C-alpha cells in the first residue's frame, strides 16, 4: 500500500535513524514535491534531507 508523507514523519524518523520503517511498513513512499523541496532546501542540515533524496 503506498503512503503519502508530509515532513514531520520523515524528519522525526530520520532523526532517530528509523526512516526505513516507513518503507518496511508501507512499501512505496510518495513524497510530494513541496515536501521534498522543504526538506532539501537547506542542504543536509535537516534530518531526512539526505534520505528523501534516495527515496525519490
Amino acid at each position: 500500500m503506498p503512503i503519502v508523507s508530509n515532513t514531520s514523519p520523515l524528519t522525526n524518523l530520520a532523526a532517530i535513524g528509523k526512516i526505513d520503517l516507513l518503507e518496511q511498513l508501507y512499501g512505496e513512499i510518495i513524497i510530494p514535491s513541496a515536501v521534498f523541496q522543504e526538506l532539501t532546501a537547506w542542504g543536509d542540515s535537516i534530518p531526512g534531507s539526505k534520505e528523501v533524496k534516495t527515496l525519490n
Side-chain angles (χ1 to χ4, degrees):
M1 162 179 37
I3 184 173
V4 177
S5 183
N6 65 13
T7 307
S8 296
L10 296 171
T11 57
N12 291 327
L13 287 170
I16 61 170
K18 298 292 183 181
I19 197 166
D20 61 316
L21 287 178
L22 286 177
E23 196 166 24
Q24 289 175 14
L25 290 171
Y26 301 106
E28 183 181 0
I29 310 302
I30 299 169
I31 302 169
S33 61
V35 172
F36 182 83
Q37 290 174 2
E38 182 179 350
L39 285 172
T40 58
W42 298 98
D44 293 337
S45 62
I46 297 173
S49 61
K50 288 186 232 177
E51 292 84 355
V52 297
K53 290 175 188 174
T54 62
L55 291 174
N56 239 357

